[in-house]
Amino acid sequence: MNLSYKNYLYLDITARNDWSSTLPKTQWSYFFPSFTASYVFSDAWHIDPSVLSFGKLRAAWAEGAVDVPPYIINTIYNSSSFAGQPTSSLPGALPAIAYKPQINKTADFGVTLGFLNNRFNFDFRYYHGRAIQQLLNSPLPITSGVGSIIVNTGVLENSGLEMILRARLIDKKNFKWDMSLNMSNNYNRLLSLTKGANRVDMANIWGASGNYISALVGQEFGSIMGYDYVYDPKTHKPLLQDANLLMQNFGVDANTAAAMKGTMYQSTNSIVPIGNATPKFRGGMTNTFTFGSISVNALIDWKIGGQMWSGTYASDMQQGTAPETLKERDGGGLPYTTPDGTATKWGVILPGVYPDGTTNTTVVHYYYKYMQYGVWSSGPNGNNWVHSTGVFNDTWYKLRELSVSYAIPNRFVKKTKAFQALSVSLVGRDLFYLYSSLPDHINPEGSNGAGNAQGIEFASLPGVRSVGVQLRAAF
Amino acid sequence: MHPSKNIFIYVLSGMFVLASCTKNFQELNATHNEPSSTTIGPVINGIDQSLFMGGTEQGCVHNDYYFPATQLAATTAFSAFVLSNGVNEIWNGYYGTLQNINLAQDMINAVSDKESMNNIQAVLYILRAYKTFRVTDQFGDIPYFNAGKAYTGNSTNFRVSYDSQQLIYDSLLNDLDWAVKNINTSASPVTASGTPYQSLGSYETVLGNKMVTWQKFANSLRLRYAMQMVEKDPATAAPIILDAINNSAGLISDGGDIAMWPASLASYDLSSRWFAYSTGGTGLSRMSSTMWNMVSDDTTTAAIFDPRAALFVETNAAGSWAPYTIGVSQGDNVNAFTNAGGLNGQTVKNGVLYSLPNWYIIRDEWYVPELIMTAAEVHFLKAEAYARGLGVGADLTMAQTEYTAGITSSVNFWYNVAAATNDATEDWAAAAPPPPTPAQMQTLFLNPKVAFTGTTADAVTKIYAQEWLSYFRQPWLAYNLWRRTFNTPVDPNSNPSSTYTTFYRLPYAQDEAVNNTDNYNTQIGKMGGNNSSYKVWWMK
């Protein structure tokens, strides 16, 4: 239903009822409405258009609902056969107890302003939503019999800001400068799941030996979960393994443990949050300069904040292919005598303290400094992984597109008798990063996965720059 | 009529039309390819199937660790598997099955005349005991009593704590005792109130639902696991050993070996074994010098005194007997098994320097069984009990009788398997030598390495050595024996690394650290870490 009052006050109301066979009988029918109101105050107050050419406030509240995938509400057994007879077993994921439609409620406020005969336009939006009865999958230990539980009671919160500014900064006959700027921020939080469930995994590399991108109950989306150093509560420095731990963890005798002093850090037993992949802001700026029939267009975009675990960096460091690993090999380390008696400058001291509080001063081979970066397979003695060394802030600014266009003058175009307009452009895309916070030219956009699953990078290909010529014709 | 009333009627009738569309909803959303209910027979058959070992379990855990740790075989390098993958396969397989065992238990509990379920209950107890013993033996303490129960929907079962191996042992041995005492072997048993016993019928595929065999299997498992804990808790173990040997249920006897026989399981394709040695295992297994020393006096064919040598191992690419000395021999990091298919695949050895496990014993997928418990093992367990006076009175004569019977049973078993193995590409029946003559067996028994002479300690050492050798295709049992006794054969020339000499258990699956964090941390806190150098409870 659309209502308007004097062409400056509008109210839209929708009401929708769906029936879905994928839900249990009591839930087949579900209703969801939406309300949108807008007030064009520039018209209502008859404001001088040369000052405020357009002004609108809007507010909306909408409910959306979707059903669940077909068949998942049914209790079923996996069936197969063995030795000519049927077999039957419980499924590997625990089904939800009661299925309901997934509901998303969002409140939205915005203002749109145009100044100086719309030479400057500004649009701002804030939204805050809550999604309930969400269908999510939360891991359980297989010792429970199942690897995960399907949750139909997930509650998510989603809020954010979007802002767009468009301006014609210079408007001369032979020279025009248009600029547009947009910024956005989004914040997602997992509020609750169900009793006994604590996490939703969006992405993972190498199973329980690797990293996860997860949402923990009560926390923001995009947590990078992995193994970390264990920190001394007093000095806040990383703890190294003392002789007792080395003997336990490596099954070695006291003499070997003494010889291994200063080589190994302690690491957490389980995965812990070691970063968050959600960016603070994303944005872009386009500048277009028009000189008669030639125009130059430049798009710069950026991502500010949000972290990434780089498996490429971890591997490069461990395998000695990152340039910074050359330091000791080039003789920039501490004096160190190899087991065969050769005097070298290969030594390092792993910064940290021992459980008894003493600071580590033992010089060891540089191998131990770099080895810890990329250990992710488990041996017979449990884990000694540290993933936090591969976590970086991933902030970047990129010259996304630069183009120069020439509009072929009309007098030539008309002579063709075929075209209405013709233009030729030289276009460069993904040209270069103006700034990247990542080391060793790792691709800042090389994350495996998309959406909420971003934050794990491993062996990503470098970005590809493309330059082309474009011909546009209108008939 | 007022127009607004019209609209109201149209909307209402529209709603009615739409609502009536839900008529076929339940049918539309019914799952057509999976059943919504089940019975205990197919559930038990699924548990039966889970008795097979996984390919990664064998390729990594057995070939990379148990064989070299026990020196029953060697490996020239670590396989392409990672230990955690083998661990995950064992761990996930067990707990995925445990929930089905619990489901079957619920079905038994729901029957009003419980006695009518006694035979099925016994089968379930035996399956659960066999599977659980295998897992606790490899890991130590494990979640057990409350594990595999998430399917009940009770969130207290989502993350469960670890149970002590000793309590698990006591509980499983009680279950087995119950099974031995309550199996009714009559043709058509009825309960005290006159209800006929329920039967699994053809759903029980591994032992063909033969309750006499199940009873002997249960009793034999009591003997095996009482012996496994006898060094740590002799007071509990000794009476069980005594009872298992003497009670009327009997034990697995010669020819009654419990195994997964692919040919009798509707021609099951047992591909995991070949996978473990070739594709993923990359063909790095070799004959150990320790094993060779137990079957031969030097590296000539004439010096072989144990007829099983011809079935367990074969010569290197040059046709020579070349044993691999663990920690000393070098090189040979090549896949010995490059020709998986085709006739005469066994003749292609890719130039390997050292002798290999016998082609047929690992290549065949249709006849060579996967062993669960052999009659030979029962003989050796009895021999040990008599030699050491565990439960039964010490009696070296009886010990020798069982020792000789054990060796004979093992030799006969493998010659029978070889003679029965003949498919399109692997004709072991034709390639294998004929069964040993009495004279050849006499040569075996008279060899000083085998002859049952010397002190009681010598006798016990020889029993362990022959038991160990009989486990050539059950390295997990050799691993149990080694950890229990530390008195299995070791080549004095070998120089194994501490990776093998202190490999006392498998580390827990890392899934526990990630998803059962609190209980896992409590457990490894007791152990000082999730280390394989930590001794499980029954180790001295």
Side-chain angles (χ1 to χ4, degrees):
Chain A
M1 182 165 60
N2 305 320
L3 302 172
S4 69
Y5 176 74
K6 289 189 173 176
N7 283 338
Y8 61 74
L9 188 61
Y10 299 90
L11 181 65
D12 287 1
I13 301 171
T14 67
R16 176 170 161 174
N17 200 91
D18 281 5
W19 288 263
S20 171
S21 64
T22 68
L23 289 159
K25 192 170 182 178
T26 54
Q27 306 288 332
W28 280 345
S29 165
Y30 49 96
F31 171 80
F32 47 103
S34 78
F35 306 90
T36 309
S38 54
Y39 179 48
V40 184
F41 57 87
S42 53
D43 289 355
W45 300 341
H46 306 291
I47 297 172
D48 178 2
S50 63
V51 180
L52 181 72
S53 32
F54 186 72
K56 181 168 91 170
L57 285 171
R58 44 170 213 280
W61 184 91
E63 191 175 314
V66 289
D67 53 6
V68 297
Y71 316 126
I72 72 163
I73 65 163
N74 302 328
T75 304
I76 54 115
Y77 295 89
N78 296 332
S79 60
S80 184
S81 74
F82 171 62
Q85 295 294 328
T87 62
S88 182
S89 57
L90 287 161
L94 183 64
I97 292 158
Y99 288 93
K100 292 178 174 176
Q102 307 180 71
I103 292 170
N104 193 350
K105 297 174 184 179
T106 307
D108 195 318
F109 305 94
V111 56
T112 306
L113 301 171
F115 299 97
L116 310 175
N117 289 322
N118 286 331
R119 252 182 86 177
F120 294 92
N121 288 292
F122 176 75
D123 198 282
F124 173 85
R125 176 180 176 232
Y126 169 78
Y127 57 90
H128 182 95
R130 183 170 280 217
I132 60 167
Q133 295 168 197
Q134 295 299 297
L135 195 65
L136 298 164
N137 207 300
S138 183
L140 289 183
I142 186 66
T143 44
S144 71
V146 293
S148 61
I149 176 173
I150 300 166
V151 173
N152 193 202
T153 50
V155 181
L156 312 175
E157 184 187 69
N158 176 29
S159 60
L161 299 170
E162 286 172 8
M163 186 216 52
I164 301 170
L165 181 66
R166 280 193 211 90
R168 172 156 286 188
L169 297 175
I170 296 177
D171 190 11
K172 296 276 167 58
K173 191 173 177 242
N174 288 322
F175 179 57
K176 294 179 174 60
W177 176 11
D178 293 293
M179 190 196 75
S180 123
L181 176 72
N182 66 72
M183 292 280 276
S184 68
N185 154 271
N186 184 41
Y187 178 79
N188 281 325
R189 204 152 62 106
L190 176 64
L191 297 182
S192 71
L193 284 170
T194 189
K195 201 176 172 191
N198 57 19
R199 198 177 85 231
V200 174
D201 296 330
M202 277 88 180
N204 167 245
I205 187 166
W206 302 313
S209 315
N211 297 82
Y212 292 78
I213 303 297
S214 306
L216 304 177
V217 171
Q219 294 189 21
E220 191 181 4
F221 271 40
S223 282
I224 304 175
M225 306 288 291
Y227 298 87
D228 196 3
Y229 295 109
V230 179
Y231 290 94
D232 176 35
K234 279 186 198 149
T235 60
H236 305 293
K237 288 179 177 163
L239 281 164
L240 286 114
Q241 297 189 26
D242 62 9
N244 282 337
L245 282 168
L246 290 168
M247 284 163 70
Q248 272 171 18
N249 291 340
F250 292 89
V252 295
D253 58 25
N255 288 337
T256 312
M260 288 171 72
K261 188 176 184 189
T263 60
M264 293 297 301
Y265 282 108
Q266 296 183 37
S267 64
T268 53
N269 290 330
S270 184
I271 56 170
V272 293
I274 54 174
N276 193 294
T278 308
K280 289 194 167 58
F281 283 103
R282 283 181 172 277
M285 183 168 72
T286 307
N287 281 287
T288 308
F289 305 95
T290 311
F291 311 88
S293 51
I294 295 174
S295 71
V296 178
N297 183 67
L299 166 62
I300 293 167
D301 63 3
W302 56 79
K303 169 177 165 279
I304 300 171
Q307 290 167 309
M308 173 199 266
W309 176 79
S310 172
T312 305
Y313 176 79
S315 302
D316 285 350
M317 290 297 279
Q318 188 213 20
Q319 295 167 11
T321 51
E324 50 267 52
T325 62
L326 281 171
K327 183 186 168 193
E328 292 82 13
R329 278 181 281 168
D330 283 348
L334 300 168
Y336 172 80
T337 308
T338 65
D340 68 3
T342 312
T344 70
K345 298 273 266 179
W346 292 348
V348 291
I349 297 171
L350 301 187
V353 296
Y354 289 97
D356 65 5
T358 55
T359 301
N360 180 36
T361 55
T362 307
V363 178
V364 295
H365 192 283
Y366 64 78
Y367 170 83
Y368 297 101
K369 173 180 169 185
Y370 298 110
M371 182 267 297
Q372 51 171 323
Y373 280 83
V375 178
W376 45 66
S377 70
S378 77
N381 294 302
N383 60 301
N384 288 293
W385 305 292
V386 175
H387 291 142
S388 43
T389 49
V391 174
F392 296 95
N393 282 324
D394 183 22
T395 292
W396 49 263
Y397 295 82
K398 186 172 192 174
L399 182 58
R400 182 69 65 187
E401 186 173 315
L402 184 64
S403 68
V404 181
S405 304
Y406 173 65
I408 294 167
N410 267 343
R411 58 181 190 278
F412 296 116
V413 176
K414 278 179 182 160
K415 280 181 188 165
T416 64
K417 297 195 173 158
F419 302 111
Q420 297 294 316
L422 272 176
S423 73
V424 60
S425 323
L426 180 66
V427 184
R429 290 205 180 87
D430 298 322
L431 291 173
F432 55 85
Y433 288 95
L434 300 161
Y435 170 78
S436 165
S437 60
L438 296 181
D440 300 337
H441 306 291
I442 289 161
N443 184 352
E445 295 166 281
S447 237
N448 310 349
N452 288 319
Q454 287 184 63
I456 293 176
E457 183 275 343
F458 181 61
S460 60
L461 292 170
V464 176
R465 184 181 298 153
S466 62
V467 178
V469 177
Q470 203 173 53
L471 185 68
R472 276 201 185 126
F475 299 94
Chain B
M1 189 184 279
H2 193 274
S4 67
K5 278 190 180 170
N6 262 336
I7 291 168
F8 182 71
I9 287 166
Y10 290 144
V11 169
L12 202 68
S13 50
M15 297 274 282
F16 180 76
V17 168
L18 287 169
S20 67
C21 288
T22 61
K23 195 174 71 178
N24 297 323
F25 265 24
Q26 269 166 323
E27 195 187 325
L28 269 177
N29 198 40
T31 308
H32 295 289
N33 58 346
E34 298 284 8
S36 58
S37 66
T38 188
T39 56
I40 197 163
V43 176
I44 297 271
N45 194 33
I47 301 164
D48 267 4
Q49 183 177 16
S50 77
L51 298 183
F52 280 122
M53 288 184 288
T56 316
E57 171 180 7
Q58 297 173 72
C60 168
V61 178
H62 291 185
N63 292 0
D64 283 350
Y65 289 94
Y66 293 173
F67 273 122
T70 60
Q71 302 208 354
L72 198 50
T75 181
T76 57
F78 277 108
S79 71
F81 297 112
V82 177
L83 180 61
S84 54
N85 290 337
V87 164
N88 290 344
E89 191 174 68
I90 298 170
W91 192 261
N92 297 350
Y94 171 70
Y95 285 103
T97 306
L98 188 58
Q99 69 164 348
N100 294 310
I101 292 175
N102 290 328
L103 174 72
Q105 187 61 56
D106 291 349
M107 292 173 168
I108 292 171
N109 294 345
V111 174
S112 54
D113 187 352
K114 282 230 12 218
E115 193 196 337
S116 69
M117 298 301 284
N118 274 8
N119 280 354
I120 297 177
Q121 177 70 77
V123 168
L124 188 66
Y125 276 166
I126 297 163
L127 288 168
R128 183 170 72 182
Y130 175 75
K131 291 191 69 74
T132 307
F133 274 128
R134 266 176 51 78
V135 173
T136 182
D137 283 348
Q138 296 183 86
F139 292 95
D141 298 349
I142 52 168
Y144 170 64
F145 293 106
N146 295 311
K149 291 182 177 170
Y151 74 95
T152 62
N154 184 342
S155 63
T156 59
N157 295 328
F158 287 178
R159 292 169 223 279
V160 297
S161 59
Y162 285 65
D163 299 304
S164 88
Q165 187 176 51
Q166 184 173 13
L167 289 178
I168 295 169
Y169 254 68
D170 289 347
S171 171
L172 297 178
L173 283 165
N174 276 337
D175 291 345
L176 290 174
D177 184 45
W178 186 95
V180 170
K181 290 188 172 126
N182 288 280
I183 284 178
N184 192 324
T185 57
S186 313
S188 304
V190 289
T191 67
S193 54
T195 318
Y197 271 44
Q198 290 197 35
S199 167
L200 292 166
S202 55
Y203 287 120
E204 200 289 285
T205 50
V206 168
L207 297 183
N209 203 33
K210 294 187 187 90
M211 295 317 297
V212 175
T213 313
W214 277 105
Q215 196 177 30
K216 288 183 192 300
F217 180 31
N219 203 34
S220 305
L221 285 174
R222 292 174 70 224
L223 179 60
R224 176 196 276 177
Y225 289 102
M227 194 64 88
Q228 197 63 50
M229 66 188 269
V230 77
E231 322 297 340
K232 198 66 172 212
D233 187 3
T236 307
I240 299 172
I241 293 169
L242 175 68
D243 183 67
I245 290 175
N246 288 336
N247 73 30
S248 61
L251 295 159
I252 297 166
S253 54
D254 295 337
D257 310 81
I258 308 285
M260 304 288 273
W261 300 88
S264 59
L265 296 166
S267 296
Y268 188 86
D269 180 2
L270 220 177
S271 58
S272 57
R273 188 166 46 213
W274 172 246
F275 169 82
Y277 278 88
S278 61
T279 332
T282 58
L284 302 169
S285 282
R286 299 292 183 270
M287 179 182 84
S288 74
S289 58
T290 314
M291 182 271 174
W292 180 248
N293 289 344
M294 289 306 300
V295 296
S296 178
D297 286 324
D298 59 42
T299 54
T300 61
T301 302
I304 294 173
F305 57 82
D306 190 320
R308 285 170 293 182
L311 305 183
F312 286 175
V313 287
E314 63 184 43
T315 54
N316 67 5
S320 310
W321 292 107
Y324 188 98
T325 309
I326 291 168
V328 176
S329 297
Q330 301 257 317
D332 214 18
N333 186 3
V334 294
N335 183 355
F337 307 113
T338 51
N339 185 8
L343 213 51
N344 300 321
Q346 75 280 12
T347 60
V348 181
K349 298 188 187 181
N350 206 18
V352 293
L353 305 174
Y354 295 97
S355 299
L356 309 163
N358 186 295
W359 165 269
Y360 297 99
I361 209 169
I362 58 172
R363 180 67 193 93
D364 172 77
E365 300 180 7
W366 310 101
Y367 296 97
V368 176
E370 192 171 294
L371 301 175
I372 291 173
M373 191 166 192
T374 64
E377 179 186 351
V378 171
H379 287 303
F380 290 123
L381 293 170
K382 287 168 80 176
E384 181 184 358
Y386 284 117
R388 294 174 62 190
L390 300 170
V392 294
D395 183 341
L396 271 184
T397 309
M398 281 294 285
Q400 181 169 10
T401 305
E402 294 294 344
Y403 172 77
T404 309
I407 296 170
T408 310
S409 183
S410 174
V411 171
N412 290 342
F413 176 84
W414 283 108
Y415 271 88
N416 288 337
V417 167
T421 301
N422 178 12
D423 64 43
T425 51
E426 272 75 53
D427 188 356
W428 202 8
T437 61
Q440 284 173 307
M441 290 304 285
Q442 208 50 32
T443 305
L444 169 60
F445 289 123
L446 291 177
N447 187 286
K449 291 175 185 171
V450 182
F452 201 76
T453 52
T455 63
T456 301
D458 293 339
V460 168
T461 301
K462 282 177 174 164
I463 293 166
Y464 291 156
Q466 287 301 320
E467 183 179 343
W468 169 90
L469 184 60
S470 79
Y471 293 147
F472 191 70
R473 291 302 305 131
Q474 293 164 288
W476 54 281
L477 287 176
Y479 180 60
N480 279 1
L481 182 65
W482 168 66
R483 288 183 294 162
R484 171 166 74 88
T485 66
F486 289 113
N487 189 10
T488 52
V490 174
D491 180 354
N493 296 320
S494 67
N495 183 26
S497 75
S498 66
T499 302
Y500 299 129
T501 55
T502 61
F503 192 76
Y504 297 149
R505 62 180 282 277
L506 295 179
Y508 293 124
Q510 197 63 22
D511 176 58
E512 282 292 287
V514 170
N515 291 316
N516 193 16
T517 313
D518 292 346
N519 294 311
Y520 170 83
N521 282 338
T522 304
Q523 176 61 23
I524 68 164
K526 286 184 205 164
M527 298 162 50
N530 185 14
N531 306 313
S532 48
S533 55
Y534 178 85
K535 289 182 174 178
V536 302
W537 163 74
W538 48 249
M539 288 175 73
K540 275 189 287 194

